[in-house]
Amino acid sequence: IRKFGGDAAEWHLRGIIQHHQNVSYVLAGSQAHIIERMLDKGRAFYGLADQLQFGPIDEAHLSAWIDGRMTKAGVRAKGVGAAIVAKAGPRTRDIVQVARQCFDNCTTAGHASEADVTQAFEDVVSEQEALLQSMWNGLTGPQQNVLRAVASNLYGLTTSASIKRFGLPSSGGATNTASAMIEAGYLVKSSGNAGYSYENPFFCRWVERETMGDLGASVSPA
């Protein structure tokens, strides 16, 4: 809505909703920062909609579902679902994308392993190369350095080690840049070493794989 129509589109949709008496609307999305922004005071949906948080699908349930679907379709996949969830989680769409790629890669062999999961994840990253490169090119130097620091997951973002290694201006500057990256949908708050994680796991892997060479960082498949 924001990308194609801006504020006018939001207010137009609000007007349509208010004139309907027997219709219920569910506006769903996986990018929480966009939804929260749409509900801010002064925005079209302020006070109009209830915000409902849905957590990830239960890992055990989703893992078993993936194993069952792949096996039923001719690819033995015992334990592969759990590996896919661990690799691509927590967003369901990312997990399903890796699962689909893993299945496609393994149809000839008729079975899948954890090594195939790693390859499938790398294949998805490679398929998105042009998009991920474009995303990277659209960022400023400080933003790129913050993303590299988070991708490395070695130190806290505001520690002296991170500031020195990744050329960050200061702890305050790094925090401000990270907050802006959260607002833009690149990062989310987490309990990891850096205090942040990527919204898109494929972008994280691309940054690790393609932009760490000058730091001497390892880029081997995780």
Side-chain angles (χ1 to χ4, degrees), residues 30-52:
S30 61
Q31 295 182 316
H33 72 284
I34 293 179
I35 296 173
E36 290 169 359
R37 193 181 307 153
M38 291 176 68
L39 298 174
D40 281 346
K41 188 174 182 179
R43 296 289 293 271
F45 290 94
Y46 177 72
L48 180 68
D50 294 326
Q51 187 173 358
L52 303 177

Side-chain angles (χ1 to χ4, degrees), residues 5-59:
D7 288 341
E10 289 188 15
W11 286 102
H12 179 66
L13 182 56
R14 179 188 175 101
I16 293 173
I17 292 173
Q18 289 180 315
H19 281 88
H20 285 171
Q21 300 299 316
N22 299 302
V23 179
S24 295
Y25 283 82
V26 176
L27 310 179
S30 61
Q31 295 182 316
H33 72 284
I34 293 179
I35 296 173
E36 290 169 359
R37 193 181 307 153
M38 291 176 68
L39 298 174
D40 281 346
K41 188 174 182 179
R43 296 289 293 271
F45 290 94
Y46 177 72
L48 180 68
D50 294 326
Q51 187 173 358
L52 303 177
Q53 296 283 355
F54 288 87
I57 296 174
D58 179 75
E59 292 183 3

Side-chain angles (χ1 to χ4, degrees), residues 79-202:
V80 168
I84 292 173
V85 171
K87 188 78 173 175
R91 295 193 308 184
T92 304
R93 71 181 188 185
D94 299 327
I95 293 169
V96 170
Q97 194 167 2
V98 174
R100 183 183 297 114
Q101 184 67 49
C102 185
F103 175 81
D104 291 343
N105 289 353
C106 297
T107 51
T108 300
H111 59 83
S113 66
E114 288 192 24
D116 294 314
V117 172
T118 297
Q119 184 59 55
F121 189 91
E122 295 292 326
D123 289 345
V124 173
V125 174
S126 296
E127 287 179 357
Q128 297 184 11
E129 167 71 27
L131 172 62
L132 300 177
Q133 180 72 64
S134 177
M135 291 168 59
W136 180 258
N137 292 342
L139 300 172
T140 66
Q143 290 173 332
Q144 291 175 346
N145 286 337
V146 164
L147 288 181
R148 294 204 296 177
V150 174
S152 74
N153 201 31
L154 295 175
Y155 322 104
L157 183 62
T158 59
T159 63
S160 58
S162 282
I163 292 172
K164 180 179 180 180
R165 181 176 177 81
F166 297 99
L168 305 177
S170 65
S171 60
T175 299
N176 291 338
T177 300
S179 296
M181 300 303 284
I182 291 175
E183 179 70 14
Y186 290 94
L187 296 176
V188 295
K189 276 282 194 179
S190 77
S191 58
N193 290 344
Y196 304 89
S197 61
Y198 277 68
E199 189 267 346
N200 182 341
F202 308 123

